[in-house]
Amino acid sequence: MLNDKRIRVITGHYGSGKTEFAVNYAIKLAKDNNKVAIADLDVVNPYFRSREKEEVLTNLGIRVIGSSIKGSGSDLPAISGEVLTPLQDESFEAVLDVGGDPVGARALGRYHSYFKEDKYDMFFVINANRPETQTKQKTIDYLRSIEFQSRAKITGLINNTHLLKSTTVEDVLRGQELCKEVSEELNIPIKYISCIESVAKELPEDLDGEIFPIKMYMREDWMS
């Protein structure tokens, strides 16, 4: 994480686990004594959004930026002007959680002037169990469409292949093979291998990318 740029954009297919990664990433930054803001730019999916965990994140000192409409009972496809604060204020470590498809990625395009080559990273989260990212070519096509709509380039891949709490080491390693194929084809590095803590402990240490253990903040205990 030390080598990542100050502005981190997290994107990927709907259901890839990108929001779970974004929340865990922001929490890790905050625990390392950074001034952190996480901005929810998902204007497509009303479920499992980072702003749902505003209380948890705020208690950890993380600034949460969602829609301009406050309250969990209301949801409009609108982004608060507060998003500009962590983009412009370089004292913040910024995490942008972007909508999980090319349509959702359009919301990022309005901020493209802040995405200079040396100022941001844009991570593409891959879950090999999702229908649009099960093969190398489908994954590359999806990645390219997000780049086109967002007007920004992907700088790193995240292997987040999972089956929620039923995830096995074999699931993660299968996803890792897909990520390697995409990485070699596009010359984009694998930055992280994201998985639940119990599985992370069992992974080989020689994998490409940093093993990133996560907790499941976005799913309540009663969910599968």
Side-chain angles (χ1 to χ4, degrees):
M1 294 179 69
L2 294 177
N3 295 325
D4 296 343
K5 304 298 191 300
R6 185 184 70 82
I7 299 172
R8 293 91 159 175
V9 181
I10 314 298
T11 189
H13 187 271
Y14 169 67
S16 63
K18 66 178 183 57
T19 294
E20 193 74 83
F21 178 83
V23 166
N24 275 269
Y25 191 102
I27 290 173
K28 178 69 168 78
L29 283 172
K31 288 182 176 179
D32 288 342
N33 298 313
N34 292 293
K35 180 181 177 182
V36 181
I38 183 169
D40 183 349
L41 271 65
D42 191 342
V43 295
V44 176
N45 175 35
Y47 305 108
F48 300 109
R49 293 176 55 172
S50 52
R51 73 183 183 94
E52 295 174 18
K53 298 302 174 181
E54 182 170 2
E55 182 177 356
V56 173
L57 294 167
T58 300
N59 288 339
L60 292 170
I62 299 170
R63 181 168 179 174
V64 180
I65 301 169
S67 72
S68 56
I69 307 298
K70 297 296 183 182
S72 59
S74 59
D75 193 277
L76 294 176
I79 297 173
S80 171
E82 285 186 81
V83 172
L84 292 174
T85 299
L87 293 178
Q88 296 175 346
D89 185 347
E90 295 190 1
S91 68
F92 278 101
E93 298 294 325
V95 180
L96 308 185
D97 180 15
V98 180
D101 61 14
V103 174
R106 289 180 188 170
L108 190 65
R110 65 186 293 186
Y111 307 107
H112 75 280
S113 62
Y114 294 96
F115 302 137
K116 306 301 181 184
E117 185 174 345
D118 60 340
K119 297 293 186 182
Y120 85 102
D121 273 309
M122 184 163 164
F123 299 141
F124 183 73
V125 179
I126 297 173
N127 179 356
N129 291 321
R130 300 302 299 172
E132 296 301 322
T133 53
Q134 288 182 333
T135 68
K136 180 183 76 171
Q137 193 55 54
K138 291 179 75 173
T139 302
I140 290 173
D141 291 344
Y142 204 85
L143 182 154
R144 290 304 194 203
S145 64
I146 285 180
E147 286 185 324
F148 177 78
Q149 294 292 348
S150 66
R151 301 163 71 183
K153 291 293 184 181
I154 302 295
T155 64
L157 306 177
I158 298 171
N159 174 18
N160 193 47
T161 300
H162 68 85
L163 290 169
L164 301 174
K165 297 175 183 177
S166 300
T167 304
T168 66
V169 170
E170 289 71 27
D171 292 322
V172 177
L173 294 180
R174 179 169 52 83
Q176 187 72 0
E177 286 303 311
L178 173 60
C179 286
K180 284 181 64 177
E181 292 178 6
V182 174
S183 174
E184 291 170 358
E185 179 79 14
L186 301 180
N187 196 29
I188 299 174
I190 301 172
K191 291 290 293 186
Y192 298 105
I193 303 149
S194 170
C195 57
I196 54 177
E197 294 173 322
S198 59
V199 174
K201 296 175 182 177
E202 304 297 325
L203 290 176
E205 296 181 357
D206 60 348
L207 298 176
D208 292 339
E210 176 183 339
I211 296 174
F212 195 102
I214 63 171
K215 295 182 179 180
M216 297 182 70
Y217 290 99
M218 299 306 301
R219 299 189 71 84
E220 305 300 334
D221 292 340
W222 55 269
M223 295 180 176
S224 61

